[in-house]
Amino acid sequence: MLRTIDLRGTRPSTAGLLALVPRAATDVSAALDAARSIIDEVREHGETALLDQAERFDGVRPSAVRVPADELAAALEGLAPEIRAAALQTIERVRSASEAQVPAPQTTVLAAGAIVEQRWQPVARVGLYVPGGKAVYPSSVIMNVVPAQVAGVRSIALASPAQSEFDGRIHPTIAGIAALLGITEVYAMGGAGAIGAFAYGVDGIGLDPVQRVTGPGNVFVAAAKRVVQSVTGIDAEAGPTDILVIADDSADPDFVAADLVSQAEHDELAAAVLVTDSPELAARVAERLEARVTATKHSARVREAIDGVQSAIVLVDDLEQAADFANAFGPEHLEIQVRDVDATLARIENAGAIFVGSFSPVSLGDYAAGSNHVLPTGGQARHASGLSAATFLRPQQVVRYDEQALREVAPVIAALSTEEDLPAHGEAVTARFPG
């Protein structure tokens, strides 16, 4: 099932590795025109456009885009006890881990009367997107909302697509978890239209523009984020999920196969990659993979993902080369199942989230680890990070100088401003010291 990329006996450069990494045949740029058109419809026609888009893309026309308070209350009341309990425990864990992501304010005293303060200021308003295509994602509600709350965001709006199964309402579990978290501003809107509505606002339904949009979605959501990022901040252009497992001959082949299948279950374009220095393990994983793919509920979807060009077994000479390949791939999820976990971990630079040891599967991070599962996909972990409280914070420097402290650096300012031929800069200082 999984194709093989054999790197044994070679040592490709970074550029060579980047050319070799398997990728899904998706192109966000190809969806830009469609996303821009959808956003323009929302900007021009507001709620009517959102209702029309729900009918066109989701197969149902909601009675209204804004979810009424009584619907949220009913959804909260209707949460199954085991779902509510699981959500509360997940919320507690994610909140604890998110609190550790908020930097403490710092004060630097450079000289007497010369102080620079570093503070972290939350954005005031955010729009959080929860997809609703092949599955329902109450966990994504938690992963988006909790770090925003921890960061101190005052105004939180949430959107999820209308569901034909529920007569145009959003999925009741999504609504229930939102209510459990105290979110009262919820919208039945999806795809690029939802992102555009967040970015530009919709007067007719009281939707004010946001300062940042976060959350996973399909290629049109990713394209829409690219379209609006000159207007509002975004987390990342999330695409199909991926998992890369580094394993040696000490790994359990059934564990590895189960973990690869768990992420392939998301989408036909999901990437499942095993990197190993053990051909024997590779063969055993392939054997177990066939059995697990055949037995799993979403077998057809998983098989298409496993058979796709984005998935592979990569054979390497050693674990150092395995780490090099992983760094080039920039996985959303990286598992390390080797004898000396810390030695391999020390070589990893690029990954959205890292799961070490045989009993830290990616599924743990998807739900109850306390880490956040909104992570950079498609190799973006090479330059981007996952969602956290820091996503909603902006570092700001506060400068406090008194008269004597400014006088002491006046010659420095004068010299540099003269060199840059910006004399008014220096004059703004000397004006404070007549004579």
Side-chain angles (χ1 to χ4, degrees):
M1 298 173 67
L2 282 173
R3 67 192 180 100
T4 299
I5 300 173
D6 194 343
L7 298 183
R8 291 174 297 178
T10 69
R11 269 297 193 265
S13 64
T14 300
L17 286 173
L18 287 171
L20 287 168
V21 294
R23 293 285 184 222
T26 58
D27 183 4
V28 171
S29 63
L32 284 176
D33 288 343
R36 189 175 288 109
S37 175
I38 289 168
I39 290 169
D40 287 344
E41 289 175 2
V42 173
R43 295 183 68 183
E44 184 175 353
H45 300 292
E47 182 178 24
T48 299
L50 291 168
L51 293 171
D52 289 346
Q53 289 167 11
E55 192 168 10
R56 191 187 340 162
F57 300 123
D58 303 314
V60 65
R61 190 178 185 89
S63 57
V65 174
R66 179 79 180 252
V67 178
D70 59 350
E71 185 178 319
L72 293 174
L76 176 58
E77 181 67 24
L79 281 178
E82 65 274 15
I83 298 302
R84 185 184 184 115
L88 287 171
Q89 185 171 2
T90 300
I91 290 166
E92 181 181 357
R93 287 176 176 242
V94 174
R95 194 176 300 280
S96 294
S98 297
E99 286 169 350
Q101 298 161 353
V102 179
Q106 299 290 334
T107 298
T108 304
V109 179
L110 298 161
I115 298 171
V116 175
E117 299 170 357
Q118 178 73 63
R119 72 175 188 175
W120 298 83
Q121 192 73 1
V123 294
R125 178 166 168 77
V126 299
L128 311 180
Y129 186 74
V130 178
K134 293 182 174 68
V136 54
Y137 294 105
S139 57
S140 287
V141 180
I142 296 169
M143 299 295 174
N144 277 277
V145 170
V146 171
Q149 291 177 331
V150 167
V153 176
R154 296 194 306 273
S155 178
I156 298 175
L158 186 143
S160 192
Q163 302 290 309
S164 58
E165 182 183 354
F166 297 101
D167 300 322
R169 300 188 301 275
I170 69 170
H171 197 288
T173 306
I174 300 295
I177 300 299
L180 185 65
L181 284 159
I183 304 303
T184 59
E185 186 181 352
V186 181
Y187 299 92
M189 58 185 188
I195 305 305
F198 277 150
Y200 292 100
V202 180
D203 282 341
I205 55 175
L207 172 52
D208 291 328
V210 303
Q211 292 166 273
R212 180 147 298 177
V213 177
T214 72
N218 62 20
V219 68
F220 293 100
V221 170
K225 286 183 176 181
R226 186 179 296 183
V227 170
V228 304
Q229 64 178 329
S230 63
V231 177
T232 187
I234 66 170
D235 52 350
E237 295 177 8
T241 189
D242 60 71
I243 178 175
L244 186 147
V245 181
I246 296 177
D248 62 14
D249 61 2
S250 69
D252 186 313
D254 195 53
F255 290 0
V256 174
D259 295 350
L260 294 174
V261 168
S262 74
Q263 292 307 296
E265 180 178 42
H266 276 288
D267 192 282
E268 290 86 351
L269 294 176
V273 179
L274 167 64
V275 185
T276 182
D277 61 351
S278 170
E280 294 76 21
L281 175 75
R284 292 197 298 272
V285 169
E287 179 183 332
R288 292 303 305 145
L289 201 56
E290 177 59 40
R292 284 197 168 274
V293 170
T294 300
T296 195
K297 177 180 179 180
H298 302 295
S299 179
R301 184 191 308 165
V302 173
R303 188 174 296 278
E304 187 170 343
I306 295 291
D307 287 345
V309 295
Q310 71 274 15
S311 299
I313 292 174
V314 182
L315 297 176
V316 293
D317 288 319
D318 49 48
L319 294 179
E320 182 177 348
Q321 189 179 31
D324 289 343
F325 186 89
N327 285 327
F329 187 90
E332 177 189 13
H333 309 100
L334 171 64
E335 289 188 0
I336 302 176
Q337 298 188 35
V338 299
R339 286 186 182 81
D340 190 347
V341 166
D342 289 333
T344 298
L345 179 60
R347 296 189 179 103
I348 298 300
E349 298 172 358
N350 306 325
I354 304 171
F355 302 82
V356 298
S358 297
F359 294 93
S360 300
V362 167
S363 297
L364 174 65
D366 283 341
Y367 298 110
S371 58
N372 201 294
H373 78 203
V374 182
L375 300 166
T377 60
Q380 292 185 77
R382 298 183 66 247
H383 56 79
S385 58
L387 191 69
S388 71
T391 303
F392 303 99
L393 296 169
R394 298 157 298 169
Q396 295 175 339
Q397 293 181 323
V398 181
V399 179
R400 299 179 188 271
Y401 270 56
D402 63 18
E403 180 180 348
Q404 184 56 37
L406 179 61
R407 187 185 297 273
E408 288 178 3
V409 297
V412 174
I413 297 168
L416 292 174
S417 64
T418 299
E419 178 64 21
E420 294 182 356
D421 193 26
L422 298 171
H425 282 61
E427 291 160 6
V429 174
T430 57
R432 287 167 164 75
F433 305 111

